[in-house]
Structures are given as structure tokens and as C-alpha cells.
């Protein structure tokens, strides 16, 4: 039962099944002293009466308990016959429960009641833990209290050597942590709240410490032992491109990141790097420059994108950028025609393809490279961990991997969740961009919004109108989209205006045609679902209207907004909502209006939603800590990180006597870890 319902398999699991709160039964209160401020109370006294009263729905058991200071009423609405039989007027009882007030008089409803004895006369010597249980377990009689009893017995049985210390003495001393055995005792059965808090702090640290240590170990092992391709030279392709083709000067952030990556790929070790850069910060060109360096060293590259639209767009813009450079760039997606696909596969296998661009189709087994040296994964959060791992196997010596994402993750979170990856940030936008102006408008303002779009179109600009697609399969969402499309067309009649539409249920060639018409300004308006969320680049578009904006999460809103503001013109983002929106939604919209900074938005997102929901981290399961909360416990996160870094710097093999505890603990935990390679 425990096994199936709560995933408790061993004593160790039971020890790690923590109470969600404690109740204080350490004191016995005087009935006469209870007042409105008392939430829970424990009293002792003589049962003076115990009667069933009322009819039908109102039938209840009413009893009174009296001590030398006063009298209190107790009521039960369920199981009343049974309870009445069990109680005896004239006996002394110990009663615990939540205090309610009825007609100004204190009252317990459904209190816990037990016979008053010498043993329990002065109350418990510890705070009583309450554990989460499930409905099924409760039916079997295994409620939170019963689990507490099991845990209590378990703690009687074990001794300090069963819960060996796993943190070095220096850490215990530095942070004044209690030892591990005490921490487990006190988190379940603390004598006082202070004991509990000490235990909690210690166990949270331990949790964060080992999570970060495991990831850090993967990284440090890779840095020390992995073998990687070495890109020794910068050759003709790179130089020619840099001097003759590059249409702009790189930003300082782009230069810095390029340097970081080049250092990695020249080190002889395999690179696994996460590149974070806000939407529009220019990550693609960095990836392209690196792929050219790979080509200069006779290696092939692959660039993988989350959607066909994006893959196609990367293909178009890269083909255009490289112009007449003597390299072969090919596209491979799920909808490539058989003949074309066969040709691309063959060219890839023989090494003729220099850069292969595509969707997840590029990591299928059928795709064989002659000499893959560099892999770029764009907008990584759409790719599963397992898919990423497939890339490693595409070459004898695994290729360098660059993971790019515009989903901003706060730094602490990134370092914790992706601790096995090296980390680069591009925190600068190319010059000349004007900050996007964002406003929130209610639905009844729609005509004004449409007029505004007309003005922008008259200036030669284009606009997106995005509809929410909560579920890929939701019929209602599509109906709304179609209704919206018709409505937009009635505001913008042909032949003065042309409207494109793109959504997930379309055939990909139709999607592509519609997209392409918008790209070349053949249509002025793009009506779409969130399929265009990531990566799409149409610099001439200056208005982003988001319909039912209250239904979108912050990071999605930010991604969508990032589709405009890519040219030199002033751009606008209009968040349309109904008149009634929830408090959370209002908060999100307020943040969007207030800032364009993706990292600030990510911090806010984290505050509002908590870490479990941050995109790109759910799959990794890395942020689902039992005790720690990566937002609220930031101080502990940082302390743990500091200790992990220092140990991995000085003693990564745990050879010092001081670190033996860590080594032993990791050894014991082996096989249980869920942290495999996450890139
Ligand atoms: P993202 O980081 O969101 O993927 P892109 O790589 O799509 O951004 O770049 C956004 C736009 O900025 C593109 O049109 C690109 O050509 C342009 N761009 C990139 N770097 C620079 C730069 N240093 N100066 C000017 N424009 C740039
Ligand atoms: Mg991009």
C-alpha cells in the first residue's frame, strides 16, 4: 500500500517522508484561558455529559468537559454512536483540536480524545508530526497519524550509525548544522519549533548540496577526462565570412561568447555549453560562426530547431548569409520528400554536407554523419533529455554541443538545473533596437487596436495577431482562431489588405507558403497560434497583438513579444484581454507592460509560479526538491553552491579524509540517482 501510493519502499524512504506540519500537544491549556487567539488547544478534564441531540441532518453528539477553570463544549457529527459508546461520563480525558467559537463560546468539533493517564498528563515531549496521506490509504486506516507511528517506531529502532553523517565537519562547523541523525529525529519529532527549524535548514542544505554536487561532478569529470574534437585553426571560411559577408559588427556580448566557445572547442575536451540570450540578442550568428570554424577544421555541423517553421527559417537565413561561400547547407525535416531526403542522407553520410539544418528528424538513426564535430540545439526546452543524448552518439568522439535558449532562466536556477553544462549569457541586444512599447487593452477597445494596426500598415509595417492554443487538440481553441481570422479579415478586407494564417493543424507546405508570404510582405497580417512562438524573424513586423493574453504564461508572452522589435522601427505589443481577469493574470500583464528584460521577467515568473513550472526544467526533474524551495531558500542554494564549487576545485575525487563522508554517501546512493547526462 505505502509502496504504491506514496512510493515508500524502504526504511530510508520512510525517514525521508517528511511531515507537512506539526501540532503542539506539549502543553495542557486551562479551559478558562482559551480565547479567540487560540488556534489549536489541548485541555484535560472530566466528561460531565455526552448526549445525542437533534434530528436527521442536525443529529449530533454534544459533550462537555470541565476542568478547574471552566467548561468547554465538544461536538461530533459523524460516527456519533460509536464515539458515544467509547466515552464514559465521569472519566477524565485529554482532548486536542482546533478551536471554534459558537455563540461566543469556545467549542471543539471532532477533536482528538483519549483517556487521561499519568503518562500523557503533562502533554507530549515533542511536537506531533502530521504527514500527507492519500484517500486510498486513509480508507485502509493508514492516515497521516498512522504514518507518524511507523516513523516513530523506526526512529526508536535505529541509531546514529544507521544515518551516517554525509557532510564534512568543516561545513557542519561553518554553518552550525546539527548532525544528520539528529536532523532526521528533529524534523519528524522536534521538541520545539526551534529544533524543527534547525533540522529543516540542515536537511535542505544537504539536499541542495548533493543535487548540485552530482551535476557539478558530471561537468568536472567531463572537463578532466572527456575527449573532444579539437578545432585548432581558424581558416578561410570563417575569415572570408567575417570580413566579406557579416552584415553588421558583432556586439560585445556576441564576441565574448564566441571567445568562450572557441576556447572550449580548442581544448581537446568535449564542450557542452548552454547559451542563454534574450530574444533577438543574435544567437544564430554566433552558432553560424562556430559552424564555419568547424568546417574550417573539416568537421560537419548540425543545427536542430524545435519546429519546421524555425528550421526552414534558419535554412533560409543561413543560406542567404553565406552567399557564395563554398559550403553545402541542407535542410531535413519531417516533411522532406522521400527523394530529397534520400539525397540529403547520402550527402551527409559521405561528408559532402557541411551544415545540416532540421527538426528532430536530424537525430534519427538513419541520419549518419561522416564526421560530425559541432551540434547546435536551438530553443532547447522543446527537446527532451533523451533526444539530446542521441546527439552524442552521432560520432565516435562526441561532437561539441551548444544548447541555445531564449527562455530566460534566472541565473541561480540555471546554475542549479544545468549545473553539468557550462554557461554563457548574451545580455546585450544589437545596437539601434528601440524598446518595444507594451500596453494592456480590454476587448471593447478592439476597434481602436485594429485602427492602430491600419496606421502601422500604412507606414509599410506588418502585424501579428496571436490566439492562444492551450491544448494542441482543443477544438474550442481552433474555433476561436477561425472566428478571429474571419473577424480580422472583416476589419482588413481584400484587396487592400492580405492576411496569412498559420496553425499547428495545417499541412507543413501550406504553413510554409503562408509564412513565406508574410516574410516577403505579400501579406501584412499574420494570424496564428503560438506555433510562431520561438525564433521566427520578420524584422519588418512592428505590431504584436496577443488575444486573450490573460491565458498565457509570462515566458510565453515574452517570447511572443520578441517576434517584433527586430528592426530599427518602433514596435508595439498589445495585450488584449476580457474585462475580468484573475489576480495572477493581472500581475503578469503588469510585469509585461513594465519591462522588456527577459531576465527580470524570469525572476518574476519564478516568484509567481514557483520553480516546478519553469519551462525546460520540468523534464529534468532537477528542481523538484523534497524540502528545499529554490526561490525561498536562495540563501541555502547559494551556500551549497559555494561549498560544491570549492570541493570540486580542490578535491574532485574526494581523496581528503575530510571529504570521505561525501564519497561514501555518493557510493551508497549510486544507482538511485536520477541525474544522468542532461545534455
Ligand atoms: P535570437 O537570439 O533571438 O535567436 P537572432 O539570431 O534571430 O536572435 O537575431 C535577431 C536579429 O538580429 C536577426 O535579424 C539578426 O540578423 C540580427 N543581428 C544579430 N546580431 C546582430 C548584430 N550584432 N548587429 C545587428 N543585428 C544583429
Ligand atoms: Mg533564435
Amino acid at each position: 500500500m505505502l509502496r504504491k501510493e506514496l512510493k515508500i519502499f524502504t526504511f530510508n524512504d520512510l525517514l525521508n517522508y517528511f511531515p507537512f506540519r506539526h501540532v503542539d500537544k506539549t502543553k495542557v491549556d486551562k479551559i478558562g484561558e482559551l480565547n479567540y487567539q487560540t488556534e489549536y488547544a489541548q485541555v484535560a478534564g472530566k466528561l460531565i455529559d455526552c448526549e445525542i441531540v437533534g434530528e436527521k441532518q442536525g443529529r449530533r453528539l454534544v459533550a462537555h468537559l470541565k476542568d478547574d477553570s471552566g467548561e468547554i463544549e465538544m461536538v461530533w457529527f459523524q460516527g456519533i454512536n460509536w464515539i458515544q459508546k467509547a466515552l464514559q461520563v465521569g472519566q477524565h480525558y485529554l482532548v486536542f483540536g482546533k478551536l471554534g467559537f459558537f455563540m461566543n463560546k469556545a467549542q471543539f468539533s471532532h477533536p482528538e480524545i483519549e483517556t487521561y493517564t499519568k503518562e500523557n498528563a503533562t502533554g507530549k515531549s515533542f511536537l506531533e508530526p502530521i504527514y500527507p496521506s492519500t484517500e486510498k490509504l486513509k480508507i485502509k486506516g493508514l492516515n497521516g497519524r498512522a504514518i507518524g507511528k511507523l516513523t516513530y517506531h523506526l526512529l526508536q529502532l535505529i541509531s546514529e550509525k544507521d544515518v551516517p553523517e554525509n557532510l564534512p565537519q568543516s561545513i557542519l562547523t561553518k554553518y552550525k548544522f546539527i548532525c544528520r541523525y539528529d536532523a532526521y529525529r528533529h524534523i519528524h519529532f522536534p521538541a520545539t519549533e526551534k529544533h524543527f527549524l534547525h533540522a529543516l535548514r540542515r536537511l535542505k542544505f544537504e539536499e541542495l548540496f548533493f543535487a548540485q554536487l552530482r551535476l557539478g561532478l558530471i561537468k568536472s569529470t567531463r572537463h578532466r577526462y572527456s575527449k573532444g574534437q579539437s578545432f585548432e585553426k581558424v581558416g578561410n571560411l570563417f575569415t572570408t565570412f567575417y570580413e566579406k559577408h557579416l552584415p553588421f559588427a558583432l556586439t560585445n556580448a556576441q564576441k565574448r561568447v564566441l571567445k568562450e566557445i572557441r576556447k572550449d572547442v580548442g581544448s581537446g575536451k568535449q564542450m557542452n555549453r548552454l547559451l542563454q540570450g534574450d530574444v533577438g540578442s543574435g544567437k544564430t550568428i554566433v552558432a553560424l560562426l562556430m559552424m564555419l570554424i568547424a568546417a574550417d577544421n573539416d568537421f560537419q555541423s548540425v543545427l536542430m530547431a524545435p519546429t519546421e517553421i524555425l528550421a526552414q527559417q534558419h535554412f533560409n537565413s543561413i543560406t542567404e548569409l553565406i552567399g557564395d561561400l563554398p559550403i553545402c547547407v541542407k535542410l531535413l525535416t519531417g516533411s522532406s520528400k522521400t527523394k530529397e531526403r534520400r539525397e540529403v542522407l547520402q550527402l551527409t553520410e559521405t561528408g559532402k554536407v557541411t551544415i545540416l539544418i532540421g527538426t528532430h528528424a536530424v537525430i534519427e538513426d538513419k541520419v549518419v554523419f561522416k564526421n560530425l564535430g559541432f551540434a547546435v540545439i536551438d530553443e532547447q526546452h522543446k527537446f527532451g533529455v533523451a533526444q539530446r543524448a542521441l546527439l552524442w552518439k552521432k560520432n565516435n568522439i562526441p561532437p561539441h554541443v551548444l544548447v541555445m535558449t531564449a527562455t530566460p532562466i534566472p541565473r541561480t536556477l540555471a546554475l542549479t538545473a544545468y549545473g553539468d553544462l557550462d554557461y554563457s549569457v548574451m545580455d546585450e541586444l544589437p545596437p539601434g533596437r528601440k524598446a518595444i512599447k507594451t500596453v494592456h487593452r480590454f476587448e471593447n477597445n478592439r476597434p481602436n487596436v485594429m485602427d492602430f494596426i491600419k496606421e502601422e500598415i500604412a507606414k509599410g509595417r506588418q502585424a501579428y495577431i496571436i490566439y492562444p492554443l492551450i491544448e494542441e487538440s482543443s477544438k474550442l481553441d481552433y474555433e476561436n482562431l477561425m472566428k478571429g481570422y474571419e473577424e480580422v479579415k472583416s476589419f482588413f478586407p481584400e484587396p487592400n489588405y492580405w492576411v496569412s494564417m498559420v496553425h499547428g493543424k495545417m499541412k507543413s507546405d501550406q504553413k510554409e507558403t503562408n509564412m513565406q508570404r508574410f516574410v516577403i510582405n505579400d501579406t501584412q497580417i499574420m494570424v496564428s497560434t503560438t506555433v510562431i512562438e520561438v525564433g521566427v524573424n520578420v524584422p519588418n513586423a512592428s505590431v504584436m497583438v496577443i488575444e486573450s493574453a490573460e491565458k498565457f504564461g509570462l515566458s510565453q508572452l515574452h517570447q511572443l513579444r520578441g517576434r517584433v522589435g527586430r528592426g530599427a522601427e518602433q514596435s508595439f505589443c498589445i495585450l488584449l484581454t476580457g474585462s475580468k481577469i484573475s489576480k495572477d493574470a493581472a500581475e503578469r500583464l503588469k510585469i509585461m507592460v513594465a519591462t522588456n528584460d527577459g531576465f527580470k521577467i524570469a525572476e518574476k515568473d519564478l516568484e509567481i509560479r514557483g520553480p516546478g513550472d519553469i519551462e525546460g526544467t520540468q523534464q529534468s526533474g532537477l528542481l523538484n526538491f523534497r524540502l528545499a524551495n529554490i526561490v525561498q531558500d536562495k540563501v541555502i542554494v547559494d551556500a551549497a553552491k559555494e561549498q560544491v564549487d570549492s570541493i570540486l576545485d580542490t578535491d574532485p575525487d574526494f581523496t581528503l579524509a575530510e571529504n570521505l563522508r561525501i564519497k561514501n554517501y555518493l557510493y551508497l546512493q549510486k544507482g538511485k540517482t536520477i541525474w544522468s547526462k542532461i545534455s
Side-chain angles (χ1 to χ4, degrees):
M1 254 338 244
L2 276 176
R3 182 184 285 241
K4 207 157 133 219
E5 287 287 309
L6 301 174
K7 307 253 173 323
I8 293 178
F9 295 95
T10 62
F11 286 157
N12 198 30
D13 293 340
L14 189 58
L15 266 192
N16 281 290
Y17 192 70
F18 300 116
F20 65 94
R21 65 183 177 91
H22 287 89
V23 290
D24 187 353
K25 299 185 191 168
T26 58
K27 298 186 306 287
V28 177
D29 304 309
K30 291 260 176 234
I31 292 174
E33 286 167 13
L34 302 178
N35 60 41
Y36 285 98
Q37 254 111 55
T38 326
E39 203 188 348
Y40 286 89
Q42 174 166 267
V43 297
K46 190 156 116 185
L47 191 69
I48 50 178
D49 57 30
C50 184
E51 298 288 331
I52 291 178
V53 301
E55 294 283 323
K56 289 183 184 157
Q57 311 288 22
R59 219 170 100 88
R60 61 195 188 275
L61 178 67
V62 179
H64 289 87
L65 195 80
K66 182 178 173 10
D67 70 6
D68 55 17
S69 70
E71 206 181 293
I72 189 165
E73 185 173 282
M74 304 180 284
V75 280
W76 286 267
F77 299 92
Q78 273 149 18
I80 59 182
N81 294 329
W82 187 79
I83 294 169
Q84 191 188 32
K85 241 180 241 156
L87 297 179
Q88 249 178 327
V89 175
Q91 271 278 2
H92 279 80
Y93 290 97
L94 189 67
V95 177
F96 175 84
K98 196 167 177 179
L99 212 59
F101 282 85
F102 186 70
M103 310 267 274
N104 253 341
K105 273 170 60 188
Q107 185 193 63
F108 283 121
S109 119
H110 282 264
E112 295 167 22
I113 183 161
E114 57 186 299
T115 310
Y116 186 74
T117 61
K118 235 200 248 145
E119 283 75 49
N120 65 20
T122 50
K124 292 244 160 61
S125 60
F126 51 81
L127 302 179
E128 193 174 294
I130 310 286
Y131 295 86
S133 180
T134 64
E135 281 313 312
K136 272 195 192 149
L137 284 178
K138 277 183 193 149
I139 290 165
K140 297 266 171 186
L142 213 55
N143 57 15
R145 190 151 329 114
I147 294 174
K149 276 194 188 130
L150 285 178
T151 308
Y152 188 80
H153 284 302
L154 177 61
L155 279 165
Q156 305 286 302
L157 285 174
I158 60 176
S159 67
E160 202 153 352
K161 71 174 194 323
D162 298 311
V163 192
E165 184 53 61
N166 58 10
L167 293 174
Q169 192 54 46
S170 61
I171 292 183
L172 297 181
T173 312
K174 176 165 179 171
Y175 297 100
K176 301 198 172 67
F177 286 138
I178 57 175
C179 79
R180 192 153 177 257
Y181 174 65
D182 285 345
Y184 273 106
R185 281 183 23 223
H186 295 168
I187 196 151
H188 291 285
F189 299 97
T192 66
E193 192 182 353
K194 208 168 149 198
H195 284 84
F196 170 74
L197 292 175
H198 273 296
L200 188 64
R201 194 171 71 96
R202 139 90 216 206
L203 291 174
K204 279 180 175 176
F205 181 92
E206 176 181 323
E207 193 173 35
L208 291 164
F209 177 84
F210 281 100
Q212 299 189 73
L213 185 70
R214 285 196 181 91
L215 289 175
L217 261 179
I218 295 175
K219 178 156 84 181
S220 111
T221 310
R222 188 177 68 239
H223 285 173
R224 286 181 297 149
Y225 303 117
S226 80
K227 237 177 123 179
Q229 328 275 9
S230 190
F231 298 173
E232 319 238 302
K233 61 175 191 237
V234 171
N236 267 334
L237 289 169
F238 180 91
T239 326
T240 315
F241 180 84
Y242 202 90
E243 282 164 8
K244 304 230 170 79
H245 296 245
L246 192 63
F248 37 68
L250 294 183
T251 64
N252 287 328
Q254 283 170 322
K255 284 187 200 156
R256 188 187 65 236
V257 168
L258 213 53
K259 223 187 249 166
E260 286 167 0
I261 300 174
R262 282 187 50 193
K263 195 167 155 223
D264 281 2
V265 299
S267 71
K269 305 279 192 275
Q270 190 219 3
M271 175 186 83
N272 269 273
R273 190 170 275 279
L274 174 68
L275 170 55
Q276 268 221 296
D278 210 344
V279 274
S281 59
K283 294 183 289 295
T284 320
I285 203 82
V286 171
L288 176 59
L289 286 164
M290 283 315 305
M291 295 195 285
L292 291 175
I293 292 186
D296 274 334
N297 289 275
D298 296 323
F299 285 106
Q300 295 170 287
S301 297
V302 63
L303 190 162
M304 186 157 72
T307 62
E308 290 204 6
I309 289 183
L310 197 53
Q312 179 76 46
Q313 190 179 293
H314 277 319
F315 177 75
N316 296 347
S317 66
I318 286 179
T319 323
E320 195 184 308
L321 276 167
I322 58 169
D324 59 358
L325 279 188
I327 56 171
C328 172
V329 181
K330 288 285 177 194
L331 178 69
L332 184 71
T333 69
S335 60
S336 301
K337 301 271 176 328
T338 318
K339 183 165 159 269
E340 198 186 316
R341 166 187 304 265
R342 208 176 295 140
E343 191 187 295
V344 172
L345 288 180
Q346 211 235 332
L347 290 173
T348 307
E349 186 158 4
T350 54
K352 299 230 167 53
V353 168
T354 322
I355 297 178
L356 182 64
I357 299 174
T359 52
H360 55 274
V362 299
I363 51 165
E364 282 168 12
D365 281 346
K366 277 171 276 175
V367 186
V368 180
F369 291 85
K370 181 155 181 258
N371 196 6
L372 180 64
F374 199 77
V376 182
I377 302 173
D378 197 18
E379 302 304 345
Q380 59 88 36
H381 62 272
K382 301 268 153 139
F383 284 98
V385 173
Q387 284 170 308
R388 271 181 267 147
L390 287 178
L391 263 180
W392 290 44
K393 301 198 208 127
K394 291 272 172 205
N395 211 47
N396 276 344
I397 296 178
H400 299 297
V401 177
L402 180 67
V403 176
M404 307 199 295
T405 176
T407 303
I409 307 175
R411 199 180 157 77
T412 342
L413 199 65
L415 290 178
T416 311
Y418 301 105
D420 69 324
L421 302 180
D422 292 294
Y423 180 65
S424 291
V425 196
M426 268 176 8
D427 46 5
E428 185 186 354
L429 294 181
R433 299 267 172 86
K434 293 204 177 78
I436 302 164
K437 287 194 177 139
T438 303
V439 294
H440 171 201
R441 292 282 179 268
F442 291 106
E443 212 111 50
N444 52 7
N445 259 313
R446 188 184 304 272
N448 292 341
V449 173
M450 295 299 148
D451 283 344
F452 177 73
I453 297 179
K454 277 186 184 156
E455 285 169 29
E456 284 292 296
I457 292 178
K459 290 189 218 154
R461 305 278 93 76
Q462 291 163 277
Y464 293 97
I465 304 178
I466 307 294
Y467 288 80
L469 187 59
I470 310 306
E471 258 178 85
E472 196 61 47
S473 57
S474 159
K475 238 173 104 189
L476 193 70
D477 287 345
Y478 278 104
E479 277 167 18
N480 283 339
L481 174 72
M482 294 307 161
K483 251 187 15 222
Y485 177 61
E486 291 308 324
E487 196 182 10
V488 171
K489 290 227 302 203
S490 70
F491 273 108
F492 298 92
E494 293 170 7
N496 292 340
Y497 301 96
W498 296 95
V499 183
S500 277
M501 178 165 66
V502 168
H503 61 75
K505 283 200 174 154
M506 263 175 187
K507 289 236 169 59
S508 67
D509 48 350
Q510 197 182 358
K511 242 192 270 179
E512 178 52 25
T513 313
N514 293 355
M515 190 67 219
Q516 224 35 49
R517 285 188 66 196
F518 186 68
V519 170
I520 60 173
N521 202 355
D522 190 26
T523 58
Q524 296 83 44
I525 297 178
M526 165 63 79
V527 170
S528 153
T529 58
T530 47
V531 288
I532 62 138
E533 180 188 342
V534 288
V536 170
N537 189 29
V538 181
N540 189 50
S542 65
V543 187
M544 165 63 63
V545 177
I546 304 176
E547 295 274 352
S548 307
E550 72 273 23
K551 295 193 181 151
F552 291 87
L554 263 180
S555 76
Q556 220 177 6
L557 288 172
H558 181 64
Q559 276 288 337
L560 287 169
R561 176 168 63 182
R563 298 310 109 215
V564 296
R566 305 188 145 235
E569 306 299 327
Q570 177 63 56
S571 289
F572 305 88
C573 174
I574 302 166
L575 307 168
L576 271 179
T577 71
S579 53
K580 268 200 204 132
I581 50 177
S582 71
K583 213 174 128 232
D584 269 6
E587 175 78 19
R588 290 198 293 274
L589 299 171
K590 208 172 105 195
I591 295 164
M592 285 296 293
V593 171
T595 181
N596 270 307
D597 182 331
F599 286 91
K600 270 194 199 139
I601 289 174
E603 299 276 359
K604 285 286 181 190
D605 203 17
L606 193 59
E607 270 172 39
I608 298 176
R609 296 199 298 167
D613 288 327
I614 297 296
E615 259 175 296
T617 59
Q618 298 103 322
Q619 298 164 321
S620 66
L622 285 169
L623 299 168
N624 301 334
F625 294 108
R626 275 165 183 268
L627 291 171
N629 173 314
I630 199 158
V631 184
Q632 281 146 26
D633 299 319
K634 191 172 174 315
V635 176
I636 310 181
V637 173
D638 291 346
K641 170 97 185 113
E642 190 187 317
Q643 294 306 316
V644 164
D645 286 349
S646 130
I647 289 173
L648 289 178
D649 264 358
T650 53
D651 186 26
D653 293 318
F654 314 112
T655 46
L656 297 178
E658 150 103 350
N659 294 330
L660 213 58
R661 289 171 179 175
I662 299 179
K663 190 173 181 169
N664 291 339
Y665 181 74
L666 286 176
Y667 184 76
L668 276 174
Q669 295 286 304
K670 227 177 182 177
K672 281 195 206 156
T673 143
I674 51 159
W675 288 275
S676 49
K677 284 172 180 155
I678 66 159
S679 167

